Amino acid sequence: MKLQFHWWVLSFLAIILIRNFLESILEKPYILGFSRDIFESQMLFFGHYTLWHIGSLFLLSLILHSVTKVKIEKITKVVISFYWITCLVPVADFIIGQGQGFIIVYATGWKQLLKFLNPVILYNPFNNAEVLTPSIKSELLVALILISTYILSRTRKFFFLITGLILYHLIFVSFYVAGAGLLFSEILYQGTGVQLAGRSFYHALFFGDSLVASPHQRFSAFFLIVSLLFFLIWFYHYNRKKFLLAMKNIRIMRALHYMLLALSGVFLGRFCLGREFAGPFSNPFDYFAVFSLLVSIVLAWASGVVINDYFDKEQDKERNPLVTGKFSVYEYFIMGGAYTIIALALSLCINYSAFLILVFYLSLHLLYSAPPLRIKRILLLNNAFISLKSFSAFIFGYSIFGREDTIVKFPLEMMLALLCFYFLASNIIHLKDVREDRKANVLTIPVVLGQKWGKIVLAACLFLAFISTLSLIHI
């Protein structure tokens, strides 16, 4: 029986969670999963460390694929098959540390990084490298041996072996495991002339003042974006045609609409609430947080596209990837589920209010597109839902400054003016889908009134929307 790929994914996640649990009870300071700060503990257990391992899986698979040219899905299964070995690391550290375990940290200085670049020090469990525990160094050595064996068995060429080991040592171990990418970014950041108040770039980034309060929210957001980048490269090598189709199907112009709304919310939050923070955007992570918000809202929009495509198969036969057969229903729903999970996870990495607002946005999209309600069929109510979705994207960006008081601190007059504007202006999007909407019995102004009178009424709506924006000048 051929095992479906999602079972490999679930097995990998189970291995990671077992590893995290063992680290939480066996490694110092014993707070990975058990802490009085429940939210911070959850971000560390399910976010930071879990996402680090997911990034490791994709990066190792990409390195092996680039050298051996074996299908990347096969290589990924091989990596998952041996990943259980990592669960032995905290147990071994607990034994070697005589029941005390070790503290796990990243390299935060150039002296530590230079030790990572030295293979004699790095892969010797009896040599203290200040950062890696004895068992982690043994783990990296075992991985080195396994990778060497796999490359030789597949290529039988010494050149590919050396290439693979160099990539493993420099890219995976030194750059990803040791955090060298953060240290190299310090050189670029110093060129801006911004002072770090005597702290290293690493500490200023993750532990200094920021719009994102928790250090492990920042780590989680960072490794989620990194893992997403690795996954996109992985997906491209898995199936180039499906990758390009998936990117195209996001419908970038509509996605850009929600991105700009969220970005406008960020600017408004900076203008209204920026004084409540100690130097917003003085920490470069604040820019990364805004970027994460934009990625999150785009993925949330893309998950809605998947739902809409599934229930619009009969009306949109030319563009719908489910009708053309370029994606199976199983593949499409897996993709939509991934969009949703990543979008929600990214929003939670910023703050809880952003997470709740995105849940609201996704719920609106589900009711709008899917039976039994399928609000898009109901005249005027469909516009009300579109306006609420647009406004939720706007306030989603505002939440990076508003945090738990986002709704309370948002100007009421502006809220009403924006909702009115979105309600009136959103009618224009129905013009391009009149034929499809009529077939699907979706009631919009152009469908009900016809093309001629529909355009006249829509023009009047746009004029009224413009008038409503004038009220914003006086707010």
Side-chain angles (χ1 to χ4, degrees), residues 51 54-55 58 176 222-232:
L51 292 166
I54 292 173
F58 289 127
Y176 189 71
F222 176 79
F223 283 113
L224 183 50
I225 291 294
V226 169
S227 297
L228 179 59
L229 175 62
F230 289 160
F231 169 73
L232 291 176

Side-chain angles (χ1 to χ4, degrees), residues 299 302-303 306-307 330-344:
L299 292 175
S303 72
V306 171
I307 296 172
Y330 171 79
E331 289 174 326
Y332 212 48
F333 271 105
I334 289 293
M335 191 166 65
Y339 288 152
T340 304
I341 292 171
I342 297 170
L344 290 172

Side-chain angles (χ1 to χ4, degrees), residues 152-171:
L152 277 178
S153 66
R154 289 294 178 176
T155 65
R156 302 187 183 281
K157 292 184 179 181
F158 190 71
F159 171 78
F160 290 118
L161 172 64
I162 297 300
T163 302
L165 295 183
I166 290 175
L167 291 174
Y168 169 75
H169 180 69
L170 292 181
I171 296 179

Side-chain angles (χ1 to χ4, degrees), residues 366-378 381 385:
L366 179 67
L367 295 178
Y368 179 82
S369 299
L373 297 183
R374 197 161 163 79
I375 300 297
K376 68 184 296 183
R377 300 174 303 173
I378 305 173
L381 191 56
F385 266 63

Side-chain angles (χ1 to χ4, degrees), residues 85 123 137-148 168:
I85 296 174
Y123 301 109
K137 289 198 284 185
S138 300
E139 174 188 37
L140 294 174
L141 179 59
V142 170
L144 183 75
I145 295 171
L146 291 174
I147 287 172
S148 302
Y168 169 75

Side-chain angles (χ1 to χ4, degrees), residues 33-182:
F34 302 94
S35 171
R36 292 181 180 179
D37 188 339
I38 296 177
F39 182 72
E40 183 76 349
S41 179
Q42 290 173 339
M43 291 305 299
L44 185 58
F45 192 94
F46 295 105
H48 177 180
Y49 277 33
T50 298
L51 292 166
W52 186 93
H53 286 290
I54 292 173
S56 297
L57 171 66
F58 289 127
L59 184 54
L60 285 172
S61 301
L62 288 168
I63 290 173
L64 288 172
H65 172 72
S66 67
V67 176
T68 64
K69 304 304 178 184
V70 176
K71 288 185 177 180
I72 199 163
E73 63 270 28
K74 291 185 178 180
I75 291 177
T76 305
K77 291 176 182 178
V78 171
V79 176
I80 293 174
S81 298
F82 286 94
Y83 211 87
W84 63 269
I85 296 174
T86 63
C87 294
L88 302 176
V89 170
V91 177
D93 275 341
F94 186 75
I95 296 172
I96 296 171
Q98 299 178 345
Q100 297 298 315
F102 293 87
I103 298 176
I104 302 173
V105 295
Y106 296 107
T108 59
W110 290 104
K111 290 183 179 179
Q112 291 177 330
L113 176 61
L114 291 175
K115 292 183 178 181
F116 276 91
L117 297 175
N118 187 340
V120 176
I121 296 177
L122 179 63
Y123 301 109
N124 182 3
F126 303 102
N127 187 291
N128 181 19
E130 299 180 15
V131 175
L132 298 182
T133 70
S135 297
I136 289 180
K137 289 198 284 185
S138 300
E139 174 188 37
L140 294 174
L141 179 59
V142 170
L144 183 75
I145 295 171
L146 291 174
I147 287 172
S148 302
T149 304
Y150 184 80
I151 293 175
L152 277 178
S153 66
R154 289 294 178 176
T155 65
R156 302 187 183 281
K157 292 184 179 181
F158 190 71
F159 171 78
F160 290 118
L161 172 64
I162 297 300
T163 302
L165 295 183
I166 290 175
L167 291 174
Y168 169 75
H169 180 69
L170 292 181
I171 296 179
F172 179 75
V173 177
S174 299
F175 225 77
Y176 189 71
V177 176
L182 292 175

Side-chain angles (χ1 to χ4, degrees), residues 341-463:
I341 292 171
I342 297 170
L344 290 172
L346 263 180
S347 64
L348 190 59
C349 290
I350 304 305
N351 60 58
Y352 191 61
S353 292
F355 172 78
L356 292 179
I357 293 168
L358 201 66
V359 169
F360 176 69
Y361 172 91
L362 290 166
S363 301
L364 288 172
H365 211 130
L366 179 67
L367 295 178
Y368 179 82
S369 299
L373 297 183
R374 197 161 163 79
I375 300 297
K376 68 184 296 183
R377 300 174 303 173
I378 305 173
L379 184 65
L380 298 184
L381 191 56
N382 47 21
N383 290 94
F385 266 63
I386 293 173
S387 65
L388 284 171
K389 287 198 300 177
S390 297
F391 178 72
S392 62
F394 187 93
I395 204 169
F396 181 67
Y398 187 84
S399 69
I400 197 170
F401 284 93
R403 292 185 177 176
E404 65 275 6
D405 297 321
T406 296
I407 303 298
V408 176
K409 292 181 177 180
F410 195 89
L412 179 60
E413 297 86 352
M414 181 173 290
M415 182 185 300
L416 295 175
L418 287 172
L419 285 171
C420 181
F421 170 78
Y422 295 142
F423 178 80
L424 293 168
S426 61
N427 285 283
I428 196 68
I429 69 172
H430 299 307
L431 267 179
K432 65 182 181 65
D433 295 323
V434 175
R435 186 180 64 178
E436 292 81 1
D437 288 342
R438 187 174 285 115
K439 287 182 180 179
N441 197 28
V442 173
L443 299 181
T444 63
I445 290 177
V447 170
V448 174
L449 300 180
Q451 287 275 23
K452 180 180 177 180
W453 284 102
K455 290 181 179 179
I456 294 174
V457 173
L458 291 183
C461 287
L462 284 178
F463 176 75

Side-chain angles (χ1 to χ4, degrees), residues 258-269 290 294 393-394 397-398:
Y258 287 105
M259 285 179 64
L260 291 175
L261 287 174
L263 194 58
S264 299
V266 173
F267 286 130
L268 180 64
V290 172
L294 298 181
F394 187 93
Y398 187 84

